[in-house]
């Protein structure tokens, strides 16, 4: 067994209280075991992406129902939890959009359930000198996949031959920010940034920057070309309580964590490396976070509920160790070695990562295989195991001295998404009276329990003297919590 199996211990308190009936602590049947997923980062074979999703995948959005939207070179596809297409969306589960919107890389979900889709549109010069647009660079799809003809977010940017959205961020109220690149006929490039109402009406300019993110409170965080990072209040005024200057380093990626701290991807001048650093809510450097160094670009950042960070991109080395395309960092910035790919892992760069509520990660990009097996450009990877003992505490009835009670059973279920592994000798007693209890049956030690499975521990009370007895049973495992 690997040493890390014992990194986390779970505690169950056992009390001897007179007058309590054992029948009050009956434990229900354990759930059935599912497919074994040997470690966090293993591919979940229950998810098989539809062939309509073609490489590369540029963005992923999830719905409370477990459905997901995927933007790929083939268009925007709606999938069910298993990865198959949702036939109720558009005509076949996919809205192609290629005729009037090229490369739909950016998607954003509005509170109404409508989906914003942004990409590149083109136009042609008319004899009058005006531009005839193929379409707006931002479209909105209704829940059935049809294009919302009442929505139009065009008009931003000067007249041009191409108009491409480079970033799209949706606020909780459905309003959104769009950063665009506009190529003029003279071959120069203009950049623009605009706010839009939920219905796509232009609502003023936003600060022109290289990267953006929203805080949990809906404030705008912007990284500028001169290396400065600034936070803006909801009314658009600069928040003077936060600012940071990265100097000559370029900032090309931002993510505000749920606690308000800011993850920043920077590229030092004249270097292909990227550094991931973290700032506190007041703009000071978080000295408790170890800056991670990557040998290539970072394209996707996602924070798990426990504070660990998934980083995807076009890199092969992280802090000098070979970790291609996807890595998980601990909350302090160090690499989490328990999260790893099986075999050769992915065969191409990662462009999008979305963590589901159960801890599994949807990963999309410009790859077609995982561990040498064809999977397409979208996979779902296992998260952490999670041991949940039921019940969490037992109360034994009164027991005569030097006799053993009837066994009381605890079911230890795995409510995580990868295998829960118990080392040999996983059980031990501690606390006030550890020698007053004994294990009469153990189906956990030395075993691996698949997600949805369970093992059992039966314990007896054998008091050597009168009075209430208490102890703690420790069960070592690789559980994350």
């Amino acid at each position: 067994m690997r040493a890390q199996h014992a990194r986390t211990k779970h505690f169950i308190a056992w009390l001897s209280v007179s007058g309590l009936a054992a029948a009050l602590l009956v434990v229900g049947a354990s759930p059935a075991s599912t497919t074994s997923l040997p470690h966090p980062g293993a591919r979940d074979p229950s998810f098989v992406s539809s062939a309509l999703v073609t490489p590369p995948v540029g963005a992923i959005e999830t719905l409370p129902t477990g459905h997901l939207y995927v933007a790929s070179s083939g268009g925007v596809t709606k999938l069910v939890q298993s990865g198959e297409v949702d036939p109720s969306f558009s005509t076949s589960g996919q809205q192609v959009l290629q005729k009037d919107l090229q490369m739909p890389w950016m998607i954003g979900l509005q509170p109404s359930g409508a989906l914003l889709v942004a990409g590149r549109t083109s136009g042609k010069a008319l004899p009058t000198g005006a531009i005839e647009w193929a379409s707006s660079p931002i479209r909105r799809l209704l829940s059935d996949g049809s294009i919302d003809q009442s929505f139009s977010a065009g008009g931003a940017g000067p007249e041009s031959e191409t108009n491409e959205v480079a970033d799209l961020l949706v606020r909780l109220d459905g309003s959104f920010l769009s950063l665009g690149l506009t190529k003029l006929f003279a071959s120069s490039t203009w950049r623009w940034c605009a706010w839009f109402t939920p219905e796509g009406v232009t609502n003023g300019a936003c600060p022109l920057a290289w990267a953006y993110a929203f805080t949990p409170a809906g404030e705008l965080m912007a990284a500028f070309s001169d290396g400065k990072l600034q936070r803006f209040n909801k009314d658009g005024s600069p928040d003077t309580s936060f600012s940071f200057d990265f100097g000559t380093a370029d900032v090309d990626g931002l993510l505000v964590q749920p606690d308000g701290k800011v993850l920043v991807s920077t590229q030092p001048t004249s270097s292909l490396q990227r550094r991931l650093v973290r700032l506190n809510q007041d703009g000071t450097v978080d000295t408790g976070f170890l800056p991670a160094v990557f040998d290539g670009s970072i394209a996707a950042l996602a924070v798990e509920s426990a504070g660990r960070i998934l980083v995807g991109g076009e890199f092969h080395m992280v802090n000098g160790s070979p970790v291609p395309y996807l890595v998980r960092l601990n909350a302090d910035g160090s690499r989490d070695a328990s999260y790893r790919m099986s075999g050769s892992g992915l065969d191409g760069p990662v462009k999008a990562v979305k963590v589901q509520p159960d801890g599994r990660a949807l990963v999309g990009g410009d790859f077609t295989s995982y561990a040498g097996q064809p999977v397409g450009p979208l996979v779902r990877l296992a998260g952490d195991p999670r041991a949940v003992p039921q019940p969490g505490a037992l109360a034994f009835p009164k027991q005569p001295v030097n006799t053993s009670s009837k066994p009381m059973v605890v079911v230890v279920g795995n409510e995580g998404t990868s295998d829960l592994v118990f080392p040999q000798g996983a059980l031990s007693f501690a606390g006030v009276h550890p020698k007053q209890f004994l294990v009469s049956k153990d189906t956990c030690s030395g075993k691996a329990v698949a997600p949805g499975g369970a093992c059992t521990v039966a314990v007896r009370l054998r008091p050597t003297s009168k009075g209430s007895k208490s102890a703690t049973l420790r069960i070592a495992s690789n559980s994350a919590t």
Side-chain angles (χ1 to χ4, degrees):
M1 293 294 171
R2 299 187 301 275
Q4 66 261 33
H5 289 169
R7 70 180 182 185
T8 305
K9 295 187 176 181
H10 290 265
F11 306 91
I12 308 171
W14 307 84
L15 305 175
S16 172
V17 183
S18 61
L20 294 180
L24 296 176
L25 298 172
V26 172
V27 179
S30 60
S33 178
T34 62
T35 304
S36 174
L37 292 169
H39 53 80
R43 184 177 74 86
D44 180 359
S46 69
F47 181 90
V48 179
S49 178
S50 165
L52 292 178
V53 179
T54 53
V57 166
I60 305 167
E61 285 286 351
T62 56
L63 296 168
T65 59
H67 292 65
L68 57 143
Y69 290 113
V70 182
S72 72
S73 59
V76 177
T77 312
K78 187 177 183 181
L79 306 178
V80 299
Q81 296 185 50
S82 64
E84 299 173 340
V85 296
D86 180 348
S88 68
F89 183 77
S90 192
T91 56
S92 60
Q94 185 178 70
Q95 176 57 261
V96 177
L97 287 169
Q98 297 287 20
K99 290 183 178 180
D100 54 9
L101 187 66
Q102 305 163 27
M103 300 173 62
W105 296 138
M106 304 288 173
I107 55 176
L109 196 61
Q110 293 185 303
S112 64
L115 186 73
L116 298 176
V117 183
R120 176 189 299 165
T121 188
S122 60
K124 62 181 180 180
L126 299 177
T128 61
I131 301 297
E132 182 180 75
W133 291 96
S135 69
S136 163
I138 306 173
R139 306 303 299 270
R140 184 164 70 181
L141 303 183
L142 301 175
S143 58
D144 64 358
S146 61
I147 297 174
D148 185 352
Q149 300 297 339
S150 68
F151 177 89
S152 177
E159 293 183 346
S160 62
E161 59 181 352
T162 61
N163 208 357
E164 179 180 347
V165 172
D167 209 349
L168 179 72
L169 286 83
V170 182
R171 271 181 168 160
L172 293 177
D173 64 359
S175 62
F176 59 97
L177 172 151
S178 176
L179 172 68
L181 304 174
T182 301
K183 183 180 179 183
L184 297 177
F185 289 108
S187 297
S188 60
T189 299
W190 292 56
R191 303 175 73 246
W192 50 265
C193 183
W195 288 106
F196 295 88
T197 69
E199 296 305 315
V201 178
T202 307
N203 195 27
C206 47
L208 190 60
W210 287 108
Y212 301 92
F214 284 133
T215 69
E219 301 157 319
L220 179 66
M221 192 77 66
F224 295 93
S225 59
D226 59 0
K228 289 184 172 59
L229 185 64
Q230 179 67 57
R231 187 168 62 202
F232 293 85
N233 297 311
K234 290 183 178 180
D235 63 4
S237 62
D239 181 352
T240 56
S241 68
F242 181 99
S243 65
F244 191 84
D245 192 344
F246 286 94
T248 58
D250 291 332
V251 175
D252 56 8
L254 293 174
L255 178 68
V256 183
Q257 298 184 168
D259 61 3
K261 293 185 177 181
V262 187
L263 291 167
V264 186
S265 167
T266 69
Q267 181 180 16
T269 303
S270 302
S271 173
L272 296 178
Q273 289 186 339
R274 299 295 197 281
R275 289 173 59 86
L276 188 66
V277 299
R278 190 166 66 193
L279 305 179
N280 294 311
Q281 294 185 41
D282 61 359
T284 58
V285 175
D286 182 357
T287 56
F289 185 85
L290 305 172
V293 179
F294 299 76
D295 69 341
S297 62
I298 294 173
L301 294 168
V303 178
E304 298 180 340
S305 58
R308 288 180 292 269
I309 305 155
L310 284 170
V311 185
E314 194 167 359
F315 52 80
H316 295 83
M317 305 285 288
V318 181
N319 293 336
S321 298
V323 190
Y325 306 127
L326 183 70
V327 67
R328 188 168 75 176
L329 305 178
N330 292 308
D332 65 359
S334 61
R335 181 193 164 204
D336 181 1
S338 72
Y339 194 95
R340 65 190 191 281
M341 299 286 185
S342 302
S344 56
L346 298 171
D347 67 343
V350 169
K351 295 181 177 294
V353 177
K354 198 78 171 182
V355 179
Q356 295 182 297
D358 63 4
R360 291 180 293 185
L362 293 160
V363 178
D366 201 4
F367 53 83
T368 57
S369 71
Y370 178 100
Q373 299 298 314
V375 294
L378 179 66
V379 294
R380 186 165 63 196
L381 305 182
D384 293 295
R386 187 166 72 93
V388 179
Q390 294 292 339
L394 295 179
F396 285 82
K398 207 168 187 178
Q399 184 67 31
V401 173
N402 293 325
T403 64
S404 295
S405 69
K406 292 182 178 180
M408 301 188 75
V409 177
V410 167
V411 176
V412 185
N414 180 7
E415 295 187 5
T417 58
S418 61
D419 288 1
L420 178 64
V421 182
F422 301 91
Q424 293 287 354
L427 309 180
S428 63
F429 288 102
V432 181
H433 305 108
K435 295 184 178 180
Q436 306 296 300
F437 300 85
L438 58 91
V439 174
S440 60
K441 186 176 182 180
D442 171 16
T443 67
C444 295
S445 292
K447 302 292 179 59
V449 177
C455 59
T456 59
V457 177
V459 177
R460 296 177 186 266
L461 167 65
R462 186 177 176 82
T464 58
S465 61
K466 294 183 178 180
S468 293
K469 310 298 179 185
S470 66
T472 300
L473 176 66
R474 295 177 175 177
I475 305 178
S477 74
N478 66 335
S479 178
T481 57

